[in-house]
Amino acid sequence: MTNLLVLGGTGRTGIHVLTQAAARGHRVRALVRNPATVQAPAGVQLIQGTPSNIDDIRKAVQGSEAVISALNNSRASDNPWAKPVSPPMFMTDAIRNTLTVMGEQNIRRIVLTSTQNTGDGRASMNPVFKALIKLSNLKVTFDDHDGVDEVVRASDTDWTLVRAVLLGDKPVVTPVRAAEAGTEKPGTRINRGDLAGFLLDTVEQGTWIHKAPLVWNAGA
């Protein structure tokens, strides 16, 4: 059993993290803007606030042994090309706040969702897709993921950046595969529930520390 703080727990991946963490017997807190609108699993404590406010993080993380971040930028619609509505560099600022508070409270472990082809993985991106990103609304999101990558790697924490391929919601029967970039050819999709399970496994097992594995469903 671990005392966990979950950021982004109301998102489509984050809600799976909350549900599975509670089912595994962890003590779970989630920092959310409006607890009255969240149907959290039994046993999950909702703390009102935002990771943009460092004092809200200080309040929420007290007593935690690890942090899982499933934060992402909000868009005007589910279309990945839609206009972003989150403040510029929202994730980077939120994670910078989180890392500061972790240092204050001597919390070392943080596991974060990331995405394929960010940070040092940008070099392997398809050149056509790279050009499309620069000319589209996706540039804001990728720049923010790059910012998160930079501040996390510079921190004195036991971090793991979990780089997911294309996310889906359909249940699958194949296991999750994970590998460092360049060592295996990844599949194309991962189910959000399976991604959440991998995040929790990584915390529980103490694996992939100071690494950024790509994750996907085998056969997908």
Side-chain angles (χ1 to χ4, degrees):
M1 181 183 294
T2 302
N3 294 325
L4 294 174
L5 172 65
V6 177
L7 304 176
T10 59
R12 287 184 292 176
T13 298
I15 195 66
H16 288 288
V17 176
L18 296 184
T19 300
Q20 294 183 35
R24 295 186 188 198
H26 297 297
R27 297 188 181 96
V28 186
R29 286 182 163 194
L31 182 63
V32 300
R33 291 181 183 276
N34 188 356
T37 65
V38 180
Q39 293 183 339
V44 174
Q45 183 182 3
L46 300 178
I47 308 296
Q48 185 169 13
T50 169
S52 298
N53 185 321
I54 195 168
D55 288 329
D56 289 344
I57 297 176
R58 288 188 175 107
K59 174 178 61 178
V61 81
Q62 289 181 2
S64 297
E65 299 165 83
V67 176
I68 292 179
S69 171
L71 289 172
N72 209 336
N73 286 311
S74 297
R75 299 186 297 269
S77 74
D78 286 341
N79 187 317
W81 305 95
K83 181 179 178 180
V85 296
S86 296
M89 304 304 283
F90 163 73
M91 291 186 294
T92 302
D93 292 340
I95 296 305
R96 184 182 290 109
N97 286 341
T98 303
L99 294 169
T100 297
V101 173
M102 288 175 63
E104 293 171 354
Q105 301 194 23
N106 197 30
I107 301 166
R108 293 204 51 80
R109 190 68 169 118
I110 182 167
V111 176
L112 310 95
T113 56
S114 184
T115 191
Q116 188 178 15
N117 299 320
T118 56
D120 60 1
R122 185 66 62 89
S124 62
M125 183 184 291
N126 180 292
V128 175
F129 187 50
K130 186 184 295 187
L132 285 173
I133 286 175
K134 290 182 178 179
L135 298 173
S136 73
N137 289 321
L138 281 176
K139 182 179 185 300
V140 175
T141 298
F142 271 79
D143 285 348
D144 206 355
H145 276 297
D146 287 345
V148 170
D149 195 283
E150 182 177 352
V151 299
V152 166
R153 289 177 182 275
S155 71
D156 183 24
T157 61
D158 295 331
W159 54 265
T160 303
L161 288 158
V162 180
R163 291 182 174 163
V165 296
L166 186 65
L167 293 167
D169 289 309
K170 294 182 179 180
V172 293
V173 295
T174 54
V176 172
R177 293 283 301 159
E180 293 189 74
T183 61
E184 291 188 34
K185 183 179 179 180
T188 58
R189 299 181 70 86
I190 185 168
N191 184 42
R192 286 183 173 86
D194 290 328
L195 173 58
F198 184 84
L199 298 172
L200 288 163
D201 290 345
T202 303
V203 170
E204 292 171 356
Q205 298 167 14
T207 51
W208 298 102
I209 292 174
H210 296 161
K211 294 182 179 179
L214 282 166
V215 292
W216 66 94
N217 284 117

